[in-house]
Amino acid sequence: MIEFIKKYPEMCLNAVKIAEKVDIPDYKFNKIVICGMGGSAVSGDLLKDLLKNRISIPIDVCRDYHLPAYVDKDTLTFCISYSGNTEETLSQFVDCVKRKSKIIGITSGGKLEEWCKNFNLPYVLIPSGYQPRSALPYLLFSIIVCLQKLGVVNLHKEIDETIEILKKIKIDSVKKLANSMKDSTIVVYSSDEFSGVVRRVKTQINENSKMPAKYDVFPELDHNEIVGYQNERLNNNSFVLILRDKDEPEEIKARIEITKDLIKGKVKGIEEIWAEGKSKLARMMSLVFLGDVLSYELAVLNNVDPVEVENIVVLKKRLKERLNLVEKLENNIKIKKMK
Ligand code: F6R
C-alpha cells in the first residue's frame, strides 16, 4: 500500500498521458454527473471540490443503482469503476444509455470496458493491478483531462504544481500523528471546500486501517455535530483530526478555533494537518496524500494488512450469488458478448 501511495506523482503524470490519447466526441452538455461507488466515486467528490466555485455547470456524484431524474441527453456522465464490475455503477451505465446521456467510461477493464466497446463509447483504460482506492490519481486526473479536452477547464499549470508538491511532501509528522490516534474512534473534519477530501480520509481510515471513523464539515457541523460533544462520556475515546488550509476564509478559521475550544478536554485529542501548495488541486491532493499515509501508518500500528478489504469482497460475492444483477443488466440492454 505504501508503495502505491508513493507512486502518486507518477500516477498523475501517467493518467494525463493515457487520457490525452482518448478521442472524446464533441459532446454538448449543461451538467456533469459522476457515476460510481467507493474508491471510484471519491474521484467525483474531489472533482466537485475542485470545480464547484469555478465553473457554472452543476456537478453531481451519484452513488446508487439509479440516476436522478434530471440526468438526460444534455448530461455529461462519467461512469467510473476501477474494476469495471461494480453492479451499482453498471446499473447506472444502463440508465445513462437509456437516457441517451453523453457517456465517458473510466476503468481498468471488466464489464465496463466491454460495454463501452459494445456501444462504441469513449473510455479511459487505466492500468490494472491496483486496489480501486489506490488508483485515485488515475481516476481523478483522467476526468480532469477529459474535461480539458471538452474545453470545460484548463488546469495544466495546477497539474504540474500538484505533481511537484506530491514529490516533495514530508510524511514524518503524519507518522507521529498516527501514534497518538491509534486505538481511538477517529473523527475527521474540514471546511465544506474540502468535503470530498475529508470523506476520502475517513474512508481510507476505514479500508486501510480497519478502523471505524466518521467525518463532517464546517460550517454545517457547528449546527448539530458539536452538541454531541456535550455528552463527555461518549466522546472520551474520540480523536478529532481537522484538515486545514491557509486560504480558509476568516469565518471558517474563527469557527474552527471556537469549535476546538468547545470540545477540548472532552475528547482524547485534537490535531490538525495542513494543505500544501498554491493551487486548489495541489492543496486537495496534498491532504489526500497525507490522509493516505496516515491510514497506512495506522494499519501498521494496528498490525493489519492495509490492502485487503475482506468484508467488501465477501459482500460483493454474496450479492452476486443472490441476485446476479450484472447478467440481468446485460440482458436488459442486450449486450453481445465480446470475443
Ligand atoms: C476498494 C475500494 C472500494 C471500491 C468499491 C467499488 O479498494 O476502495 O470502495 O472502490 O467497492 O469498486 P470499483 O471501484 O471497482 O467500482
Side-chain angles (χ1 to χ4, degrees), residues 37-40 81-83 86 131-133 207 312 316:
M37 300 303 297
S40 292
S81 168
Y82 180 77
S83 62
T86 297
Q131 270 291 327
R133 61 189 184 281
E207 291 183 69
I312 300 179
K316 286 185 177 180

Side-chain angles (χ1 to χ4, degrees), residues 265-284:
K266 299 186 172 135
V267 292
K268 200 166 148 190
I270 308 174
E271 286 292 346
E272 298 178 336
I273 50 179
W274 287 79
E276 294 184 27
K278 282 202 193 86
S279 65
K280 180 85 189 269
L281 183 60
R283 286 180 284 132
M284 284 170 43

